[in-house]
Amino acid sequence: MGRSRYTITETDKPHFLTCTIMEWLPLFIRPYIVDHLLNCWRYQQTHHDLKLYGYVILENHLHFVAQAPDLSKCLSQFKSFTARQIIDDLQSKGADKALQRLRFSKRAHKQDRVYQLWQEGSHAEMVYSESVMRQKLEYIHNNPVKRGYVDLPEHWRYSSASNYVGMPGLIEVQCWY
């Protein structure tokens, strides 16, 4: 895991996680980039027994609650795979300004790469009770409402809020309630 004081302590338990783009660049305003995130989660659901309980993807970060037999490994693979996919897309589309910023903000100890997409760490918090799970899911789903992007949580396209009110979402989630 990254250099965060928040770590995945029990890898098989659900955790609330946050992943943030370097310099808070608003890369997730592009649907083709968000598709990489959703496709990676779908792959992990099928091949790594990832249980995704809820998520929200905003313009420069995402929150999700997930569980897997080895959640640390799933998170590491998620960040690594999506970083490669997104950087490849930015290069193919000639997004030079975004790439410059990702190159400039790369941490000095990251000698194995030219760019760094994700900030280190994931602010992992174990979900140890039903009340904490509800609180985290409400926080996730209400994030776009608090920012003034939508009036109702289920109106945010890149969120599991619609799944929780019986509407189809962009990806399957394990509804907690």
Side-chain angles (χ1 to χ4, degrees), residues 7-15 66-72 126 128:
T7 58
I8 296 174
T9 53
E10 295 184 44
T11 61
D12 62 332
K13 299 282 193 285
H15 281 71
Q67 179 178 1
D70 190 344
L71 187 56
S72 294
M126 188 170 73
Y128 54 86

Side-chain angles (χ1 to χ4, degrees), residues 33 40 42 47 69 72 78-79 90 93 101 113 146 166:
I33 289 181
C40 187
R42 285 184 192 105
H47 299 285
S72 294
F78 173 81
K79 289 176 88 171
L90 293 173
K93 302 223 185 310
R101 290 185 62 190
R113 65 197 74 180
K146 287 180 185 170

Side-chain angles (χ1 to χ4, degrees), residues 80 83 87 103 106-107 109-118:
S80 176
I87 288 167
R103 183 183 307 119
K106 177 182 75 91
R107 298 293 175 237
H109 68 274
K110 299 282 186 178
Q111 298 295 320
D112 62 336
R113 65 197 74 180
V114 175
Y115 307 103
Q116 183 176 342
L117 182 82
W118 296 108

